[in-house]
């Protein structure tokens, strides 16, 4: 009987036996299979119970794995998002961390990420090539990581001190994994045992089934259906192919099978876990015995032998070395050339030449090529050398220069061709130019300073090399004197001047020339011998700068006026214009220190008026509103920037300019308060004052500009003490005045100028109030010597700025009271504006009437035209004369401004 038929029969029997007491019928083997069938999910999936710690730590580990993958491809935006996810996952695991402590692998991830970000940030070239999104993500990641790591400072520092503990923990993790694997193997064994027990249970023969035919309703005996259910021989003959295959145990089809191969694999796995444990114990013991191990990158080190320069039997002579040199240099600039290897080969060739005593000329020739290879190591001209290459460059240039100085029989020059070189016998001739090598080295030094962060220790370390560079230039000058042309000497002298002109020397060392004498000697030679205007102009501007910083005002001013550079500088190149701007700024600062306020203002007005002082002095780039710079233009501009140690303080520059403008502008504003045609001396100063007046609430000054504005307002009302306190105080001293070399003298000069200009402003403002003023009271009020007060008032009277006279017996100033009142001043302004309007209208009418009369061709019409025009001109002239007479009769104020020579006539006009 088939199992399907048996099932249907059992259903029919169950239906027929409803409501009757039927004995329990045990199923056959075919039906037992249904009770033990398992789904595929139950076979494959194995539920594992894990703790909260394992769940949280696994989530963090998965994010760290993604983070490492994104770091490998430098996908900064995804690295940033992974870092944020890592922080959120750590916050979820806070409860676990409070119990267990910060996990070691989390600190390692933070340390590795911090190192990765700092490495990417320091690589400027790679940063420039990043996309806009990645560059922005890198900046954000750097800021967020720096802020986030503050909470883990102690843990990160401990990890950096002892990162080996992490490896030990990794070993313990591996042991845990091994134990987990063993547990899994034990579980598998248990599963196998359970399966075997189930199979044994199923293989037991089922009990005999009773005959149920007697329960049938018809009671007839059917021989075909009365077979015994417990007869195994009958069932085996009626089983299907599956029953035959599984021997009647259909449950075996759905149970987990274990073959001999799988058992062998599991045994091998167990063996591997045990071996791993043993090897780790052995390695740990060896580490304790042998100490530290050296980490080898990329597997076992390959000992590669360097290619030999020459064969064993080759005779080393000049010809062979020259051919090898040409062979090495021929690879220069090619795509697949290793520049570092090329430098090493040239150095090795130089050592071979010196070992074989091929002479100093051969060494000089090879060293010229080594210097060229060092300069070509960096293919990008806009970027600087690496620090180690720069140090090698200085060493080789100095060695080459010493070689040429000690061996005077060597002659070098660019005009010597390779065919005419003499390397074997003295006098030697070598193609090359040591001056060009030193100039290139100096350019590289400037680029090194430009490429460093000005506020870092790296900049200070690079700046220490300037002493070496100056020594090399001095030795170059000694070498070139007496053996080179005037043109090369001028170039060498200019290099020495460029490293000397901006340095302040308070006292010259004993037994040496001071910097003024050295500059004078070098510049005089260039003025007389140089054939190019550029070197001479450079030398003049450097000398002006040097005079100015040493407070030699008259020498610097005379040199600037005699050179007429202000007329021709606009046709010069950009670096020369930058040097001119720097010289003018120092000239203005020098004039200010000497008390020449007007001269200081005239020198600084062109730099400060446009608000582009930073860009004009090549101390930084400003954003341009009209158009943006192209990347190429930006590179060129950055190449022109001055190194930080040569900068001029921009806040000091602006403060000096505003103080100079204040001392000139405030008295002028007081003297021409009601003048409609008053001109502005300093537009920038007026702009600063207007911005301050617009503020609804003015508090105590904080910035430098606010201090100068407050001082200007105090000077307007003649309060010189408040003006002094605002201009010179502790805060202003720290920001500005302490930057001068003679701070005390400069501050005394500023106070005296404030006193004098405050006195002038007071006289202009309040002269209409007084009939007379006592000079003793004025001297006491402004704390000035009486002679100074007398001098100031006398100058004002002579220049007709003050309408007064001095009474010598009483030492008083008698006011003439001829200044117009406010109403009179406004009336004069109205009269001037009306007169201007009338003149403009008449001019327009003349143009219109003139065009009308030109159409009249008759003589009568022409006569009428002449007659009418003459009449009109006559009337207009008479009216104008009458108007001018009326203006003269209104008061003597306007007559005083005309500065006529006859004083008596002006006095009569005022009286009239």
């Amino acid at each position: 009987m088939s199992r399907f038929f048996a099932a249907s029969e059992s259903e029919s029997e169950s239906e027929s036996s409803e409501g009757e007491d039927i004995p329990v019928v045990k199923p056959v083997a075919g039906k037992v299979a249904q009770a033990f069938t398992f789904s595929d999910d139950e076979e494959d999936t194995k539920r594992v119970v894990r703790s909260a710690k394992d769940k949280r730590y696994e989530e963090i580990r998965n994010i760290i794995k993604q983070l490492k993958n994104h770091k490998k491809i430098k996908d900064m935006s995804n690295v940033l998002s992974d870092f944020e996810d890592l922080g959120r996952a750590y916050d979820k695991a806070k409860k676990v961390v409070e119990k267990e402590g910060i996990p070691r692998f989390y600190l390692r991830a933070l340390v590795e990420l911090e190192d990765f970000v700092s490495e990417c940030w320091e690589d400027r070239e790679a940063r420039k090539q990043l996309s806009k999104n990645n560059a922005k993500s890198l900046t954000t990641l750097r800021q967020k990581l720096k802020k986030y790591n503050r909470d883990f400072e102690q843990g990160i520092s401990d990890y950096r001190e002892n990162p080996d503990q992490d490896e030990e923990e990794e070993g313990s993790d591996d042991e845990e994994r091994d134990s987990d694997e063993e547990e899994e193997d034990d579980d598998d064994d248990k599963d196998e045992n359970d399966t075997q027990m189930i199979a044994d249970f199923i293989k037991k023969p089922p009990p005999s089934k009773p005959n149920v035919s007697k329960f049938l309703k018809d009671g007839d005996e059917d021989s075909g259906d009365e077979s015994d259910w417990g007869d195994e021989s009958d069932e085996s003959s009626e089983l299907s192919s599956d029953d035959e295959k599984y021997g009647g145990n259909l449950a075996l089809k759905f149970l987990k099978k274990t073959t001999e191969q799988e058992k062998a694999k599991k045994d091998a796995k167990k063996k591997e876990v045990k071996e791993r444990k043993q090897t780790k114990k052995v390695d740990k013991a060896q580490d304790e015995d042998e100490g530290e191990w050296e980490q080898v990158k990329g597997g076992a080190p390959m000992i590669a032998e360097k290619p030999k320069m020459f064969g064993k039997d080759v005779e080393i002579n000049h010809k062979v070395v020259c051919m090898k040199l040409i062979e090495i240099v021929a690879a220069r600039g090619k795509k697949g050339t290793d520049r570092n290897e090329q430098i090493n080969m040239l150095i090795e060739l130089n050592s071979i030449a010196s070992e074989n005593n091929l002479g100093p000329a051969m060494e000089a020739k090879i060293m010229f090529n080594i210097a060229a290879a060092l300069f070509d190591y960096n293919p990008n001209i806009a970027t600087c050398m690496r620090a180690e290459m720069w140090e090698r460059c200085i060493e080789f240039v100095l060695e080459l220069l010493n070689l040429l100085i000690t061996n005077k029989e060597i002659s070098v020059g660019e005009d010597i061709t390779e065919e005419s070189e003499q390397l074997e016998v003295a006098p030697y001739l070598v193609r090359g130019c040591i001056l060009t090598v030193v100039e290139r080295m100096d350019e590289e030094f400037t680029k090194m300073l430009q490429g460093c962060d000005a506020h870092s220790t790296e900049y200070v370390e690079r700046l220490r090399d300037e002493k070496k560079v100056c020594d090399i230039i001095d030795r170059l000058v000694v070498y070139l004197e007496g053996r080179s042309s005037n043109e090369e000497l001028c170039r060498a002298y200019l290099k020495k001047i460029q490293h000397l002109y901006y340095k302040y020397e308070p006292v010259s060392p004993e037994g040496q020339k001071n910097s003024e004498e050295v500059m004078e000697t070098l510049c005089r030679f260039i003025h007389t011998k140089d054939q190019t205007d550029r070197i001479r102009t450079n030398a003049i501007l450097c000398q002006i700068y040097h005079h100015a910083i040493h407070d030699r005002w008259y020498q610097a001013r005379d040199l600037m006026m005699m050179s007429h550079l202000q007329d021709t500088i606009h046709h010069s190149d950009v670096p020369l214009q930058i040097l001119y701007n720097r010289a003018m700024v120092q000239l203005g600062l020098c004039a200010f220190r000497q008390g020449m306020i007007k001269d200081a203002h005239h020198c600084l007005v062109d730099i400060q008026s446009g608000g582009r002082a930073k860009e004009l002095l090549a101390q930084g780039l400003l954003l341009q509103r009209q158009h943006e710079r192209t990347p190429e233009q930006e590179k060129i501009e950055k190449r022109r920037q001055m190194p930080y140690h040569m900068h001029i303080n921009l806040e000091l520059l602006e403060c000096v300019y505003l103080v100079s403008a204040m001392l000139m502008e405030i008295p002028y504003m007081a003297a021409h308060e009601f003048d409609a045609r008053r001109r502005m001396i300093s537009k920038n100063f007026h702009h600063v004052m207007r911005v301050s007046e617009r503020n609804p609430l003015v508090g105590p000054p904080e910035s430098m500009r606010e201090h100068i504005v407050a001082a200007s307002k105090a000077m307007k009302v003649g309060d010189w003490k408040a003006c002094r306190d605002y201009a010179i105080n502790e805060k202003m001293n720290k920001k500005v005045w302490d930057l001068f070399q003679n701070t005390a003298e400069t501050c005394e000069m500023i106070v005296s100028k404030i006193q004098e200009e405050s006195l002038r402003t007071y006289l202009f403002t309040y002269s209409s109030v007084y009939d007379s003023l006592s000079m003793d009271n004025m001297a006491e009020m402004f704390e000035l010597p009486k002679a100074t007060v007398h001098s100031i008032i006398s100058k004002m009277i002579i220049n007709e700025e003050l309408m007064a006279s001095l009474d010598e017996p009483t030492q008083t100033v008698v006011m003439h009271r001829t200044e117009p009142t406010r109403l009179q001043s406004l009336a004069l302004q109205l009269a001037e504006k009306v007169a201007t309007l009338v003149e403009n209208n008449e001019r327009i009418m003349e143009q219109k009437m003139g065009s009308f009369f030109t159409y009249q061709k008759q003589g009568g019409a022409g006569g009428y035209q002449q007659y009418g025009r003459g009449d009109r001109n006559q009337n207009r002239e008479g009216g104008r004369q009458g108007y001018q007479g009326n203006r003269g009769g209104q008061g003597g104020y306007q007559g005083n401004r005309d500065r006529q020579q006859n004083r008596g006539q002006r006095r009569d006009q005022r009286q009239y």
Side-chain angles (χ1 to χ4, degrees):
M1 182 188 297
S2 173
R3 67 177 183 276
F4 301 109
F5 185 77
S8 62
E9 187 181 17
S10 64
E11 290 174 3
S12 63
E13 289 175 357
S14 63
E15 290 175 0
S16 62
S17 60
E18 286 180 359
E20 296 181 6
D21 189 11
I22 302 173
V24 178
V25 180
K26 291 191 177 181
V28 295
K31 293 187 179 180
V32 178
Q34 295 179 359
F36 292 97
T37 55
F38 299 100
S39 64
D40 295 338
D41 295 336
E42 290 175 348
E43 180 182 355
D44 297 337
T45 307
K46 183 179 178 182
R47 293 190 64 186
V48 180
V49 179
R50 292 182 300 169
S51 63
K53 172 186 173 183
D54 295 338
K55 287 181 182 179
R56 297 304 180 194
Y57 282 8
E58 184 179 0
E59 182 182 0
I60 294 174
R61 281 195 176 98
N62 291 335
I63 296 173
I64 291 173
K65 186 177 180 182
Q66 292 180 359
L67 181 64
K68 287 181 179 178
N69 294 334
H70 290 143
K71 283 196 295 185
K72 287 177 182 176
I73 60 175
K74 292 192 176 181
D75 188 356
M76 296 302 172
S77 57
N78 281 329
V79 170
L80 176 60
S81 61
D82 290 341
F83 172 68
E84 293 171 350
D85 294 341
L86 190 64
R88 286 192 285 268
Y90 182 79
D91 291 338
K92 288 181 184 178
K94 270 287 179 64
K95 293 182 180 178
V96 178
V97 172
E98 289 174 359
K99 294 180 182 178
E100 304 289 337
I102 302 173
R104 189 78 172 176
F105 66 87
Y106 189 75
L107 294 175
R108 178 182 63 197
L110 292 180
V111 170
E112 290 176 353
L113 183 60
E114 186 178 6
D115 296 341
F116 170 76
V117 170
S118 61
E119 181 182 353
C120 293
W121 188 262
E122 289 172 0
D123 193 352
R124 296 174 180 270
E125 288 303 316
R127 243 200 303 158
K128 291 177 183 176
Q129 295 174 2
L130 289 175
S131 63
K132 187 176 181 181
N133 191 18
N134 278 342
K136 187 177 179 182
S137 300
L138 177 61
T139 307
T140 309
L141 176 63
R142 182 169 174 263
Q143 295 172 352
K144 286 187 175 182
L145 182 64
K146 189 176 180 181
K147 185 177 180 181
Y148 186 76
N149 282 357
R150 290 174 187 167
D151 300 333
F152 303 93
E153 284 182 357
Q154 185 63 35
I156 289 173
S157 60
D158 293 342
Y159 178 83
R160 289 190 183 278
E161 290 174 2
N162 190 13
D164 297 331
Q165 288 184 7
D166 193 50
E167 297 176 1
E168 295 174 6
E169 290 192 6
E170 285 182 357
S172 63
D173 292 342
D174 292 339
E175 291 176 2
E176 289 177 3
R177 292 194 202 103
D178 297 341
S179 62
D180 292 341
E181 290 175 358
E182 289 180 354
E183 289 175 3
E184 289 177 3
D185 295 338
D186 296 339
D187 293 340
D188 292 340
D189 295 340
K190 288 179 182 178
D191 292 340
E192 291 176 9
N193 296 332
D194 294 342
T195 306
Q196 188 66 31
M197 290 171 64
I198 292 169
D200 294 340
F201 174 76
I202 292 170
K203 287 180 181 180
K204 290 180 181 180
S208 61
K209 182 180 178 182
N211 195 348
V212 294
S213 60
K214 60 182 178 179
F215 297 102
L216 296 175
K217 290 181 181 181
D218 52 3
D220 296 332
E221 295 180 0
D222 295 331
S223 59
D225 298 331
E226 291 177 356
S227 60
D228 189 7
W229 289 7
D231 192 357
E232 294 182 4
S233 61
D234 295 338
E235 284 183 353
S236 62
S237 62
E238 295 173 359
L239 286 175
S240 62
S241 59
D242 289 339
D243 295 334
E244 294 173 358
K245 185 176 180 181
Y246 294 100
N249 295 331
L250 196 60
L252 296 175
K253 178 181 179 181
F254 304 101
L255 293 179
K256 190 174 179 182
K257 307 173 189 65
T258 55
T259 61
E260 295 180 359
Q261 295 179 356
E262 291 178 355
K263 288 182 179 179
K265 285 182 182 178
K266 289 175 182 176
D267 294 339
K269 199 172 183 181
K270 291 179 181 179
K271 190 175 181 181
E272 185 181 352
V273 170
K274 292 178 181 178
E275 288 178 356
R276 197 188 304 166
K277 285 184 178 179
Q278 291 176 359
T279 52
K280 282 185 179 178
K281 290 179 181 178
V282 172
D283 291 341
K284 194 171 183 181
Q286 287 179 355
D287 289 340
E288 292 174 357
D289 296 339
E290 298 178 8
E292 296 182 356
W293 284 73
E294 183 180 356
Q295 185 178 1
V296 179
K297 295 183 179 179
M302 299 291 292
I303 302 172
E305 294 184 0
K306 292 184 179 179
K308 294 182 179 179
M309 194 70 67
F310 302 105
K312 289 183 178 180
D313 300 331
V314 176
E315 183 182 356
I316 308 299
N317 54 28
H318 292 82
K319 185 177 180 181
V320 173
V321 172
C322 284
M323 289 177 64
K324 195 64 179 179
L325 178 62
I326 292 170
E327 179 186 344
I328 296 171
V329 173
R332 176 183 170 190
K334 291 184 179 179
K335 189 174 182 181
T337 305
D338 186 356
R339 294 183 178 87
N340 196 17
E341 184 64 27
Q342 192 178 29
I343 294 169
N344 293 334
M345 291 176 70
L346 288 170
I347 294 172
E348 185 180 354
L349 185 63
N350 186 30
S351 62
I352 291 172
S354 61
E355 287 173 3
N356 290 272
N357 299 323
L358 296 183
M362 180 57 72
E363 293 183 23
K365 182 175 177 62
I366 297 173
M367 291 184 73
F368 271 118
N369 286 281
I370 291 173
L374 286 169
F375 292 136
D376 290 346
Y377 182 80
N378 189 9
N380 191 356
I381 195 172
T383 56
C384 60
M385 285 184 175
R386 292 188 310 186
E388 58 271 15
M389 298 305 295
W390 165 248
E391 291 172 0
R392 293 175 72 180
C393 178
I394 288 182
E395 291 176 4
F396 277 104
V397 171
L398 185 59
E399 187 178 350
L400 174 60
L401 194 57
N402 291 334
L403 179 67
L404 295 177
I405 291 174
T406 53
N407 298 277
K408 298 182 179 179
E409 63 275 9
I410 301 177
S411 299
V412 296
E414 291 178 333
D415 53 342
I416 300 173
T417 61
E418 292 186 359
E419 292 78 11
S420 60
E421 282 185 328
Q422 182 66 32
L423 304 175
E424 300 181 8
V425 184
Y428 303 109
L429 297 176
V430 180
R431 176 176 174 79
C433 183
I434 185 62
L435 176 59
T436 306
V437 172
V438 174
E439 286 178 341
R440 183 70 189 276
M441 180 203 67
D442 188 57
E443 291 174 7
E444 290 295 334
F445 177 64
T446 304
K447 285 198 288 186
M448 290 286 291
L449 293 175
Q450 290 172 347
C452 298
D453 183 8
H455 304 286
S456 64
T457 55
E458 183 186 2
Y459 188 89
V460 178
E461 291 175 2
R462 291 280 72 83
L463 193 58
R464 288 173 183 164
D465 293 335
E466 190 185 15
K467 186 178 181 182
K468 299 178 183 177
V469 174
C470 292
D471 291 341
I472 290 173
I473 293 174
D474 291 339
R475 295 178 71 81
L476 174 69
V477 169
V478 172
Y479 171 74
L480 292 178
E481 286 176 347
R483 67 173 70 194
S484 297
S485 61
N486 290 333
E487 181 184 356
E488 291 182 343
L489 267 177
C490 289
R491 287 164 59 189
Y493 284 167
L494 182 61
K495 278 295 167 190
K496 187 170 183 178
I497 288 171
Q498 287 175 346
H499 283 272
L500 181 64
Y501 80 96
Y502 63 89
K503 296 175 182 176
Y504 177 72
E505 186 183 45
V507 180
S508 60
E510 295 182 2
Q512 295 183 10
K513 288 185 178 180
N514 58 16
S515 58
E516 182 183 3
E517 295 175 358
V518 175
M519 287 286 293
E520 184 68 27
T521 304
L522 299 176
C523 292
R524 186 181 291 115
F525 181 86
I526 292 175
H527 294 163
T528 55
K529 303 293 183 181
D530 180 52
Q531 302 297 324
T532 61
D533 291 336
R534 191 179 186 282
I535 295 179
R536 188 188 305 116
T537 305
N538 253 303
I540 291 172
L541 290 173
C542 290
Q543 193 173 10
I544 292 170
Y545 192 105
H546 193 261
H547 281 315
I549 62 175
H550 289 86
D551 289 336
R552 295 188 287 268
W553 157 249
Y554 292 105
Q555 293 94 315
R557 184 199 62 180
D558 295 344
L559 194 56
M560 178 66 78
M561 298 298 291
M562 288 189 295
S563 62
H564 298 285
L565 286 175
Q566 57 271 25
D567 301 329
T568 60
I569 195 64
H570 302 288
H571 305 291
S572 304
D573 55 354
V574 176
L576 210 56
Q577 292 183 22
I578 292 170
L579 183 57
Y580 173 80
N581 293 338
R582 288 167 55 80
M584 285 299 296
V585 165
Q586 287 294 350
L587 199 61
L589 295 177
C590 176
F592 182 81
R593 289 193 295 268
Q594 298 298 314
M596 313 289 182
I597 302 300
K598 287 186 179 180
D599 294 323
H601 183 269
H602 292 330
C603 291
L604 301 178
V605 66
D606 291 334
I607 303 295
Q608 285 294 128
S609 58
R612 296 171 56 229
K614 187 176 185 179
E615 190 172 356
L616 293 174
L617 297 175
Q619 296 181 184
L621 299 180
L622 299 175
L623 295 176
Q624 295 182 346
R625 297 178 181 176
Q626 289 81 7
H627 62 278
E628 293 184 359
R629 300 182 184 89
T630 62
E632 193 63 31
Q633 289 175 342
E634 190 169 353
K635 286 182 182 178
I636 294 171
E637 289 290 336
K638 286 183 178 179
R639 226 178 294 162
R640 291 174 182 153
Q641 299 302 302
M642 304 299 295
Y644 183 73
H645 69 283
M646 298 172 68
H647 282 194
I648 299 170
N649 192 288
L650 297 177
E651 191 172 17
L652 169 67
L653 177 61
E654 185 181 8
C655 181
V656 168
Y657 172 75
L658 290 177
V659 170
S660 302
M662 175 188 74
L663 295 175
M664 294 173 61
E665 193 77 57
I666 297 299
Y668 181 82
M669 290 168 63
H672 301 82
E673 186 177 1
F674 304 113
D675 192 354
R677 298 181 180 179
R678 183 180 65 194
R679 64 182 179 85
M680 287 189 295
I681 297 174
S682 172
K683 292 183 179 179
N684 194 8
F685 178 77
H686 277 272
H687 173 71
V688 172
M689 293 292 289
R690 280 196 300 269
V691 169
S692 175
E693 290 170 359
R694 286 176 194 162
N695 294 333
L697 181 63
V698 180
E702 294 181 359
S703 65
M704 179 271 299
R705 286 187 182 182
E706 292 176 356
H707 277 88
I708 301 303
V709 169
S712 303
K713 290 179 180 178
M715 183 182 282
K716 263 187 179 181
V717 296
D719 189 356
W720 73 272
K721 290 184 179 179
C723 179
R724 177 199 61 189
D725 295 338
Y726 282 126
I728 299 174
N729 50 56
E730 186 177 354
K731 188 181 289 186
M732 287 291 287
N733 289 344
K734 289 181 179 178
K735 284 186 176 182
V736 180
W737 307 125
D738 287 345
L739 300 175
F740 283 128
Q741 54 263 26
N742 299 321
T743 306
E745 297 175 4
T746 305
C747 291
E748 288 176 6
M749 181 274 299
I750 294 171
V751 171
S752 65
K753 290 294 179 183
I754 287 174
Q755 290 171 320
E756 293 173 6
E757 298 303 326
S758 297
L759 172 60
R760 284 165 47 81
T761 306
Y762 185 84
L763 291 173
F764 283 134
T765 305
Y766 301 109
S767 61
S768 60
V769 178
Y770 292 99
D771 288 333
S772 62
L773 285 168
S774 172
M775 283 194 288
D776 294 334
N777 291 340
M778 299 299 293
E780 183 180 353
M781 184 186 299
F782 290 95
E783 297 183 8
L784 287 170
K786 191 174 179 181
T788 305
V789 174
H790 186 277
S791 173
I792 292 171
I793 295 175
S794 300
K795 286 180 182 177
M796 293 175 68
I797 293 172
I798 292 170
N799 295 331
E800 298 178 0
E801 295 174 341
L802 183 66
M803 296 302 116
S805 58
L806 287 174
D807 189 358
E808 290 293 338
T810 59
Q811 290 294 308
T812 57
V813 182
V814 180
M815 300 296 174
H816 291 166
R817 307 288 301 239
T818 57
E819 294 296 326
T821 62
R822 180 174 177 81
L823 180 61
Q824 291 173 342
S825 300
L826 293 175
L828 285 172
Q829 292 180 21
L830 178 62
E832 288 180 1
K833 290 181 180 179
V834 170
T836 305
L837 180 63
V838 170
E839 288 178 2
N840 292 335
N841 288 338
E842 287 180 352
R843 193 177 296 112
I844 293 170
M845 288 297 296
E846 278 182 4
Q847 293 174 359
K848 289 185 178 180
M849 294 300 292
S851 62
F852 172 75
F853 284 120
T854 52
Y855 288 109
Q856 304 296 330
K857 299 293 181 74
Q858 292 84 2
Y864 170 75
Q865 179 183 357
Q866 294 294 331
Y867 177 75
R869 184 177 295 173
D871 251 358
R872 191 168 62 254
N873 288 340
Q874 196 173 15
N875 292 335
R876 191 174 64 216
E877 191 65 32
R880 187 179 296 166
Q881 288 175 1
Y883 173 71
Q884 290 290 342
N886 290 335
R887 286 182 62 193
Q890 287 177 0
Y893 178 73
Q894 193 66 29
N896 290 335
R897 290 296 177 264
D898 293 337
R899 297 185 183 177
Q900 299 177 3
Q901 295 180 357
N902 192 346
R903 245 170 228 251
Q905 187 176 356
R906 283 203 310 276
R907 192 175 295 110
D908 293 340
Q909 278 185 344
R910 287 197 298 270
Q911 290 174 359
Y912 173 72

